[in-house]
Amino acid sequence: MKNLIITVFLVFFAFAFQLNAQQKPRTIVTTDGEVDDMDSFIRFLLYTNNLDIEGLVYCSSQWHYKGDGKGTAFVSEMEMTKRIYGERTDLRWPGTTWMQELIDKYSVVYPNLIQHDPDNDKLNYKWWNYTEVGTYPKAVEVKSAAQKQVKIRIPADAQAGETIHMILEVSDEEYA
């Protein structure tokens, strides 16, 4: 199995200027999946009906890692982390599906959110391959790119360590 890193983008960014009633802040969220960021992402989801979501971005940090899959032990360069965790083959790895799982849970509270949403617009989805930032040299096809959830087939010629960056743009119908 190839060890590819697929990054789905969502970066949190809110504009610091006065918006009129017809504008929603264009928002991109980037998060590394540590516990504090997961908590912030949950709070963010509660306000997404008031934002123009442009993308969600998974990233990682020195505070958690998956490991190389070969059992290689790593020791943090940070004294406190080294003392607490010692030598590890992985460290507090949240996985790569936690964001989708939280978005699915968002559907439970969505009916209540739209009761208080002044425009109650339908969401539009658009998935696409951001080839300029990935190391895999070819475009990756996204079937049914206008759906909330898609399946992306990793190309057979993709090499271990190559990255494929996928973007999910979400907007409501008023701003589509």
Side-chain angles (χ1 to χ4, degrees):
M1 186 170 158
K2 297 181 192 277
N3 292 324
L4 293 176
I5 300 170
I6 298 178
T7 307
V8 177
F9 285 83
L10 272 220
V11 182
F12 184 70
F13 183 83
F15 292 104
F17 56 82
Q18 186 76 22
L19 298 173
N20 68 38
Q22 295 300 312
Q23 290 181 307
K24 292 183 179 182
R26 293 178 64 206
T27 307
I28 299 173
V29 174
T30 186
T31 179
D32 61 20
E34 292 181 21
V35 174
D36 63 326
D37 288 353
M38 286 183 181
D39 292 344
S40 295
F41 188 76
I42 291 167
R43 284 188 294 278
F44 160 76
L45 286 174
L46 297 175
Y47 295 95
T48 55
N49 61 316
N50 296 310
L51 302 168
D52 180 9
I53 309 298
E54 292 287 334
L56 299 173
V57 181
Y58 277 111
C59 62
S60 188
S61 79
Q62 66 180 345
W63 306 114
H64 65 268
Y65 46 84
K66 182 178 180 181
D68 62 5
K70 299 175 186 175
T72 306
F74 298 91
V75 178
S76 174
E77 294 178 9
M78 301 294 295
E79 212 42 60
M80 182 181 80
T81 307
K82 183 190 302 184
R83 188 174 59 253
I84 294 170
Y85 295 104
E87 193 172 88
R88 304 281 305 245
T89 58
D90 61 48
L91 179 62
R92 302 182 318 172
W93 181 246
T96 57
T97 61
W98 65 268
M99 200 179 296
Q100 287 93 337
E101 292 164 9
L102 290 174
I103 291 169
D104 288 342
K105 289 178 181 177
Y106 168 75
S107 67
V108 174
V109 298
Y110 181 75
N112 186 52
L113 291 175
I114 62 170
Q115 288 179 10
H116 308 286
D117 182 8
D119 60 15
N120 195 20
D121 290 331
K122 174 183 161 273
L123 297 178
N124 297 296
Y125 304 91
K126 179 182 175 187
W127 288 87
W128 53 281
N129 178 210
Y130 188 21
T131 57
E132 290 83 2
V133 297
T135 58
Y136 178 72
K138 301 175 188 171
V140 175
E141 179 184 0
V142 181
K143 294 186 180 190
S144 303
Q147 301 298 313
K148 177 180 176 181
Q149 294 182 330
V150 298
K151 290 186 178 183
I152 300 165
R153 184 176 304 256
I154 304 302
D157 64 342
Q159 301 297 309
E162 287 182 315
T163 59
I164 298 172
H165 291 257
M166 303 305 296
I167 305 285
L168 168 60
E169 292 181 34
V170 181
S171 62
D172 69 18
E173 63 187 10
E174 182 178 349
Y175 299 98

